[in-house]
Amino acid sequence: MTHPTEHSLVQGGRSAALATACVRGGVAAGLGLGALAVLVTAAWISSPFPDSGPGGVLHVAAGLWLLAHGVDLVRTDTLSGLPAPLGVVPMLVAVLPVWLVHRAARDTLDPGDDSDRPRPSPGGAVAAVAGGYLLVAAVVVVYSESGPLPAELISAGFWLPFVVFGAAGAGVWTALGRPLPGQRQAAAALRATGLGLVTLCGGGAVLAAVSLAWHAGEAQAAFTGLAGEWSGRAAILLLVLALLPNAAVWGAAYGLGPGFTLGTGALATPLGLAGDPAVPSFPLLAALPAEGRGTWTHWAAVAVPLVATLVQGWHVGRTAKGWPARDAALTALAAAWGCGAVVAVLAAAAGGPLGSGRLSAFGPVWWQAGAATVLWGACVGVPMTLAVRAWGRRALRPKPLPVPAPANANAAASATTPAPVGAGAGAGFGEPFDLEAQPEAAPDAPSDGLPGVTPGGTPRGGQASAGKPDPGTPVATAKAAAPAPPPALDLDDDPGYEPYDYLPAAWESSPPPDPKA
């Protein structure tokens, strides 16, 4: 009888974990497809003029699910009979499948309450979850070929793996605690890229909202003209909500400079709307600028990328206070390239063909939007980074410390300062009297007392206050004339000098004379 070894148990546990992750990916795909199928079915049931059966509803749901992943569709039931491409992705609908893949990959590595269950490696989790999801997606692509909205195979072969692997990788990164690269320049560039993207897309949303509010009358007329029944208006409203992120990306591309195309023969930029636009009747498209040259209201849109790049450069410059100038500039340039790459992907998803002929190009051009983002970051973000870094280094410069006074000058000041004198005291009560710090005795000083002091303890000149010495006394003369400390006195050879080490702690008055004496 053979017993399983630890190696085989580990391998078996990892295999089971990979199989579980693959099942998680398939379940995530099924949940997203089922949610869209329920939504389309509800719209079909509420429609007063349903023109297709349940099979057509499921094909529409499958096509919408593929479109949410960036896959281009082909409309076969056109009025002309010719197939027309459809490639504008409702970006709000894309949030649902991306979040489901992200959650499946995150839960695969997150132990939760059961910390003993086997878990795959990060790379294995990404591959397993994405593999299970793509298996279901392949079935949906094959199923859509028999419906009114078949998928374009080349687009499906590129965008489906790109979106699924990206979302799964983000989920694994979240499960690992969102670690950043070990190099400080790479981490700072990633943070600045995210901050610049949020600012740029937020500014684009503000531009779209302001323009839509400015053309509110045209938008309302387009909304009421598309559908008269409440069910149709509800469907139009849901489509408008799903395209709101697209409007934000369009606004960002408009502020960046390249703008967006409105058909093959029209281009809208802050300088004006040139050409003959082919614009269908839709509420969001009513916010487009009018034909002709742009005014200052259109030119003000460049404030969006300007603020975004300034914020991005400020973040890098604040982080790079102690770095060399070359590293700071390269980090800001890397952040600009990262932001440009993401903007190019968003622009490719927000735009695309809406039909054949003039509508084959609609929305921002992905490479132009990405290149403009990099150019803004290089021309504005890098100088902003260097300026903020220089200002930060100016604040970090060490301040000059005050120069301490020489030690001999302090000794001279202490030696020449007159000591408080009391009756029979030279320094104070309860403190030892330092005879070495007294000035040199005057030639006429008495031999039986301190120099400059009468035998009764009063300074010569009749002044009882130690703070105001007589200008004629040797103490004042030594203070004014000699900046250096005087030489120490040698009173051991004086026959009338009796040394002592301390003074009484309190004043002791002499006893009164005995009257009997």
Side-chain angles (χ1 to χ4, degrees), residues 159-433:
W159 282 107
L160 268 174
F162 179 81
V163 173
V164 173
F165 273 97
V172 170
W173 180 61
T174 303
L176 295 177
R178 298 183 179 90
L180 294 175
Q183 294 183 351
R184 55 183 183 178
Q185 291 87 357
L190 286 177
R191 293 193 184 96
T193 299
L195 192 60
L197 281 173
V198 171
T199 308
L200 185 63
C201 293
V206 171
L207 285 179
V210 170
S211 181
L212 189 61
W214 188 267
H215 302 86
E218 294 87 342
Q220 185 178 3
F223 179 76
T224 56
L226 285 176
E229 300 292 333
W230 68 269
S231 58
R233 293 185 178 181
I236 296 298
L237 182 60
L238 289 177
L239 185 57
V240 168
L241 293 177
L243 291 172
L244 285 179
N246 297 61
V249 177
W250 283 38
Y254 184 80
L256 284 169
F260 43 81
T261 58
L262 299 174
T264 55
L267 179 65
T269 64
L271 298 178
L273 178 58
D276 184 17
V279 181
S281 179
F282 193 72
L284 283 180
L285 296 179
L288 295 175
E291 298 183 19
R293 299 183 61 181
T295 60
W296 67 269
T297 56
H298 302 89
W299 302 335
V302 300
V304 172
L306 179 62
V307 172
T309 49
L310 287 178
V311 169
Q312 185 172 309
W314 170 80
H315 178 79
V316 177
R318 189 185 62 172
T319 308
K321 289 180 181 178
W323 301 357
R326 179 176 178 272
D327 292 347
L330 290 178
T331 303
L333 194 59
W337 276 97
C339 191
V342 179
V343 167
V345 173
L346 293 178
L354 279 180
S356 58
R358 296 182 60 189
L359 290 177
S360 60
F362 206 76
V365 182
W366 65 271
W367 65 270
Q368 293 180 0
T373 304
V374 175
L375 189 62
W376 274 96
C379 296
V380 179
V382 174
M384 182 64 179
T385 297
L386 296 178
V388 173
R389 171 189 169 274
W391 182 263
R393 291 177 68 88
R394 175 181 175 274
L396 291 177
R397 288 176 183 173
K399 297 181 179 179
L401 298 176
V403 180
N408 53 0
N410 294 335
S414 61
T416 56
T417 302
V421 180
F429 300 109
E431 298 180 2
F433 187 81

